[in-house]
Amino acid sequence: MCSSDLRQLFQATVNDLGDTILPTLIAHMSTETAKEITQERPKFLPGLFRARPDLACSPELWKLGGDRKRELFEAVVGQKELDSSTIHGILGALLDSNSEGFLRRSIDHWGKDAVFSILDWVDSHEGRMSQASSEALSNEPDLLMDWVQQKSDSSPASVVAVAHVVAPHAGRISKRDSKVWLRIFRDVQDTANDAEKDYLASFLLALAFCDAPPTPLDLVGESYQRVHQSAWEERLSDEAWSIVKPFVPELSWWK
């Protein structure tokens, strides 16, 4: 059956025979066919997503959803026991279709699978992480650390992006192995700008103050001079300062 015939079938009033046939047709429907059918009638998309959650892995179908995206998302999260690869595809489609408003709920619903899927997308896009993604991930420093430690082949840019999310939680993640952050700090010395290096150095220093394993003195050796000099010259950003502020003594205002 061609896509034009399917389009007519979807537009028609379905009888008992149609109720029997339609699920089989949907089960074998390609993404391209789904796009052709729903281009003019996006109201069919939620039903298709409920019947075939894997269709939600298509960014194009999410874009066709227009102002029905919330309905599409509800159709997807209502499915039980989606496998990791489908969740991975759905999160990628949300990011590719600029539907990041659903990332937080995705994490609440799918947990580790959603977090790892978002970070895999960031890794495949040269470390690009939007503010919406960062905010969605901000309450999951432990899962972010799991990803960093398990994805040893991830790009420096993506690990730096993760650093910007976990650094404010330095105390919480301080029992984790800090070698990855030391390595990344050294790796980006020739590519990162001064503000980025200041931020990473502040992160290393905060971890050192928390006695992060295996060798906190190495963290101090790499970071202290830079952070001290930047602070002395009043060029340490508020974002970088906020990382070390909880760990340093507070001076009176005239000092």
Side-chain angles (χ1 to χ4, degrees):
M1 183 176 287
C2 67
S3 58
S4 59
D5 293 332
L6 278 171
R7 193 182 304 115
Q8 291 178 16
L9 181 57
F10 270 79
Q11 293 171 1
T13 301
V14 180
N15 56 24
D16 291 341
L17 179 60
D19 281 336
T20 303
I21 295 173
L22 268 179
T24 302
L25 293 175
I26 293 172
H28 295 87
M29 182 183 295
S30 68
T31 301
E32 287 303 315
T33 301
K35 283 165 56 179
E36 290 184 38
I37 290 171
T38 57
Q39 200 144 23
E40 296 176 1
R41 293 182 176 266
K43 68 179 183 179
F44 291 134
L45 275 170
L48 290 177
F49 278 21
R50 276 188 289 271
R52 285 273 307 282
D54 60 295
L55 290 174
C57 298
S58 166
E60 290 79 11
L61 291 179
W62 281 97
K63 290 174 184 176
L64 286 175
D67 58 6
R68 292 177 177 268
K69 286 184 179 179
R70 185 167 299 279
E71 191 178 351
L72 299 187
F73 185 76
E74 297 297 340
V76 172
V77 297
Q79 306 301 309
K80 294 182 180 179
E81 299 180 359
L82 293 182
D83 59 67
S84 296
S85 62
T86 301
I87 295 171
H88 191 280
I90 291 170
L91 268 296
L94 288 174
L95 289 160
D96 286 331
S97 63
N98 298 316
S99 306
E100 294 170 305
F102 302 105
L103 296 183
R104 181 65 254 175
R105 282 196 59 199
S106 297
I107 293 171
D108 290 341
H109 191 76
W110 290 309
K112 177 181 176 180
D113 281 336
V115 170
F116 275 42
S117 297
I118 295 170
L119 295 178
D120 286 345
W121 187 94
V122 170
D123 190 40
S124 66
H125 288 74
E126 301 179 341
R128 190 169 82 243
M129 183 185 292
S130 68
Q131 185 65 30
S133 296
S134 178
E135 290 174 357
L137 293 165
S138 61
N139 293 327
E140 307 296 338
D142 292 311
L143 287 176
L144 268 66
M145 287 300 303
D146 289 342
W147 183 87
V148 167
Q149 293 178 333
Q150 292 177 30
K151 302 281 185 174
S152 58
D153 59 344
S154 53
S155 67
S158 63
V159 180
V160 168
V162 172
H164 278 271
V165 184
V166 300
H169 305 279
R172 180 170 167 180
I173 63 170
S174 61
K175 301 308 177 188
R176 303 283 193 128
D177 192 325
S178 63
K179 285 186 295 200
V180 61
W181 305 116
L182 199 57
R183 173 177 58 80
I184 288 300
F185 182 66
R186 290 166 176 168
D187 285 349
V188 302
Q189 288 305 301
D190 294 331
T191 56
N193 57 36
D194 285 339
E196 191 75 270
K197 286 186 277 192
D198 286 347
Y199 186 87
L200 292 173
S202 299
F203 181 28
L204 293 185
L205 190 57
L207 290 173
F209 287 147
C210 294
D211 201 28
T215 50
L217 287 179
D218 286 349
L219 300 174
V220 174
E222 290 283 347
S223 62
Y224 177 79
Q225 186 59 43
R226 182 176 192 94
V227 174
H228 181 272
Q229 191 65 31
S230 295
W232 181 263
E233 296 174 1
E234 297 186 350
R235 58 181 175 83
L236 194 66
S237 69
D238 290 341
E239 187 183 22
W241 170 244
S242 68
I243 300 171
V244 295
K245 183 180 179 181
F247 307 102
V248 297
E250 201 168 313
L251 299 177
S252 54
W253 65 270
W254 62 84
K255 294 183 180 180

